[in-house]
Amino acid sequence: MGKDKKGEEAVFLRKKITLLRAFSLLIGSMVGSGIFISPKGVLKNSGTVGFSLVVWFACGLLSMFGALCYAELGTRITKSGGHYIYILETLGPLPSFLFLWAEFFAIRPANSAVVSLAFGRYMLEPFFSPCAAPVPAVKLVSLLGYYMVLTLNSWSVTWSARLQTALSIVKLLALALIIVPGMMLLAQGHTENFQDAFDRQSLALDKLPLAFYAGMFAYSGWFQTGFVREELVRPERNIPLAVIVSVITVIVGYMLTNVSYYTVLGTQDVLASPAVAGGGFVQRAFKSLISVVPVLVALSCFGTMNGGIFTFSRTLFVASREGQWPPLFSMIHIRRHTPLPAVMLMFPLVTTMVCIGDIYHLMNFFSFSRWLFIGLATLGLIVHRRRHPELQSPFKVPLFVPVSFTVICLFTVAMSFYSDPVNISIGCTMVLSGFPVYYLIIHRQMSSRCRSPFYYLTHKLQLLLEVVQQEIKTY
């Protein structure tokens, strides 16, 4: 719908994401539940303190490679949608739909459930310490937090972006409160927890893919600017700048945080704690802040939930616009200018996974699909370069960067079948189940260009939700 004779505003997603907001979105998405729950998974599957720190640095370096690849893709492909649109534009509609299928039914709800559960656990920590919070209470608080973020993203793009900026500061403060006491103890000569840091007898090579999954989960979020590409101010400049600065910031912060964990707690306490930055760490580091740090960590998780909903709703929005998802989800609220139907779609699946799921099983379950398709997206960058040599991208990385990143991603995915065959097989089955759906419904509908079988239901929901198709806007 365009402007009528009364001069009403056109309905489209505005360019409201500046460089600062892009940086905040990346920091807010990366620094979340991962750094507070993944250290246990990395240490458990790498074997020793030294090897776990190597894994953390390697995951940071790998994330930088991936972020650079996505920065180039974001300057080559001008549509929002992240992984989905990159795979669609480079490898075609079938791989992109399989990603969309896995993302909707496995990756995103499981990831959101993990972050929500971490939020609930840390939010209740001050009230039940030194005991663990009851599981039903954790799940209830987790769902309440998630529903608050859903409501905010349905209400206003501007306010959700402002919240992300504020919570990014909270996240860095939470990391600082963990890093400082550890560095102080280290400066005083407390290095006993780093003895035999590289004991090879404890190294379990077959479990390393799971250690990388846990580490990469903590770094995940470096790709978020690609989801909101059409809403970025000066994307050709701000995407590369935001990803480079944010990933370097997070690598330094994560390395110092893990050194602090090991200095204060030691390996046995890290392995015994489901929430590493919780009561045990705070009691040893500074008792006066025993209630403050868990709340700051919970707010950090809240920011990650906000960033995840903010970006994933854009994936569904773009997929609907490309004809691979019901048209209702490409519509915008007539007054709020938010993709309301796409935001609300995750409500039932995340609720289910929070109610029945466990953090570490959920993490392995969705990591297979996520890194498979991220590897395919960077493979798509190589393909796109070869097909379009005439295209002059304002930002270009050396060829070895996407080649190295793609090979490592696909190798890790293949090795994970040996490390955790049950959860990985479930994830693989989820991806493969998209094949019949694509050929029976999506491919046939796109080929015949027939009206969607859900046309009348879509029309009724459109009236109920007060949403309309986005107007095509040239910037």
Side-chain angles (χ1 to χ4, degrees), residues 40 54 71 85 199 225 259 264 297 321 342 420:
K40 175 181 177 179
V54 170
I85 202 67
D199 181 10
T225 51
V259 170
V264 175
V297 174
R321 193 173 61 185
D420 188 0

Side-chain angles (χ1 to χ4, degrees), residues 100-417:
L100 187 67
W101 183 260
E103 176 83 348
F104 175 65
F105 286 104
I107 301 172
R108 187 62 63 164
N111 181 65
S112 298
V114 167
V115 179
S116 301
L117 287 167
F119 167 80
R121 180 171 290 171
Y122 277 107
M123 185 59 75
L124 292 176
E125 178 88 22
F127 301 100
F128 292 92
S129 182
C131 300
V135 174
V138 170
K139 292 181 181 292
L140 177 61
V141 173
S142 301
L143 289 175
L144 289 175
Y146 189 76
Y147 297 159
M148 288 172 62
V149 176
L150 275 181
T151 303
L152 178 65
N153 278 267
S154 301
W155 185 259
S156 171
V157 171
T158 300
W159 279 104
S160 58
R162 287 175 179 171
L163 176 67
Q164 197 69 8
T165 301
L167 291 179
S168 296
I169 299 172
V170 172
K171 290 167 184 282
L172 295 177
L173 176 61
L175 286 186
L177 289 176
I178 292 171
I179 291 170
V180 169
M183 295 301 103
M184 292 174 62
L185 286 175
L186 201 60
Q188 294 169 10
H190 292 273
T191 59
E192 59 274 10
N193 292 334
F194 295 93
Q195 302 297 323
D196 299 320
F198 291 94
D199 181 10
R200 295 185 179 181
Q201 294 181 347
S202 301
L203 178 63
L205 291 175
D206 61 323
K207 296 295 184 182
L208 274 181
L210 300 184
F212 270 87
Y213 277 168
M216 293 303 289
F217 169 74
Y219 282 102
S220 62
W222 47 261
F223 40 71
Q224 299 286 35
T225 51
F227 289 93
V228 293
R229 196 328 183 151
E230 295 171 43
E231 298 169 76
L232 281 165
V233 177
R234 297 182 64 189
E236 65 285 343
R237 167 185 175 270
N238 289 343
I239 290 178
L241 193 57
V243 298
I244 291 171
V245 174
S246 61
V247 173
I248 291 175
T249 302
V250 172
I251 290 174
V252 174
Y254 279 9
M255 294 302 296
L256 293 175
T257 300
N258 278 281
V259 170
S260 182
Y261 283 149
Y262 293 133
T263 302
V264 175
L265 292 176
T267 56
Q268 296 304 317
D269 291 321
V270 170
L271 291 173
S273 175
V276 184
F281 179 89
V282 179
Q283 285 176 355
R284 297 192 186 189
F286 30 30
K287 295 182 180 180
S288 60
L289 295 178
I290 194 168
S291 298
V292 175
V293 173
V295 172
L296 290 178
V297 174
L299 291 175
S300 178
C301 296
F302 192 84
T304 302
M305 286 191 287
N306 182 59
I309 294 174
F310 187 84
T311 54
F312 178 61
S313 62
R314 272 61 180 175
T315 301
L316 295 180
F317 176 85
V318 174
S320 177
R321 193 173 61 185
E322 297 292 334
Q324 291 195 335
W325 207 248
L328 177 68
F329 301 100
S330 66
M331 296 183 184
I332 303 294
H333 194 273
I334 57 176
R335 292 187 300 277
R336 298 294 170 191
H337 303 125
T338 58
L340 178 63
V343 169
M344 299 304 298
L345 186 59
M346 293 304 296
F347 173 86
L349 283 174
V350 174
T351 300
T352 302
M353 289 196 176
V354 167
C355 291
I356 67 174
D358 166 80
I359 285 181
Y360 293 101
H361 288 138
L362 286 171
M363 196 183 299
N364 291 340
F365 167 65
F366 77 79
S367 292
F368 161 79
S369 303
R370 164 171 279 181
W371 294 107
L372 169 64
F373 287 108
I374 288 178
L376 289 179
T378 52
L379 174 64
L381 172 60
I382 302 171
V383 173
H384 198 263
R385 279 189 182 184
R386 189 173 182 83
R387 286 179 181 171
H388 303 281
E390 77 289 350
L391 186 60
Q392 296 298 318
S393 175
F395 179 79
K396 190 173 184 178
V397 296
L399 184 61
F400 81 89
V401 173
V403 170
S404 302
F405 183 81
T406 302
V407 170
I408 293 172
C409 277
L410 298 182
F411 176 76
T412 304
V413 165
M415 283 292 294
S416 63
F417 277 99

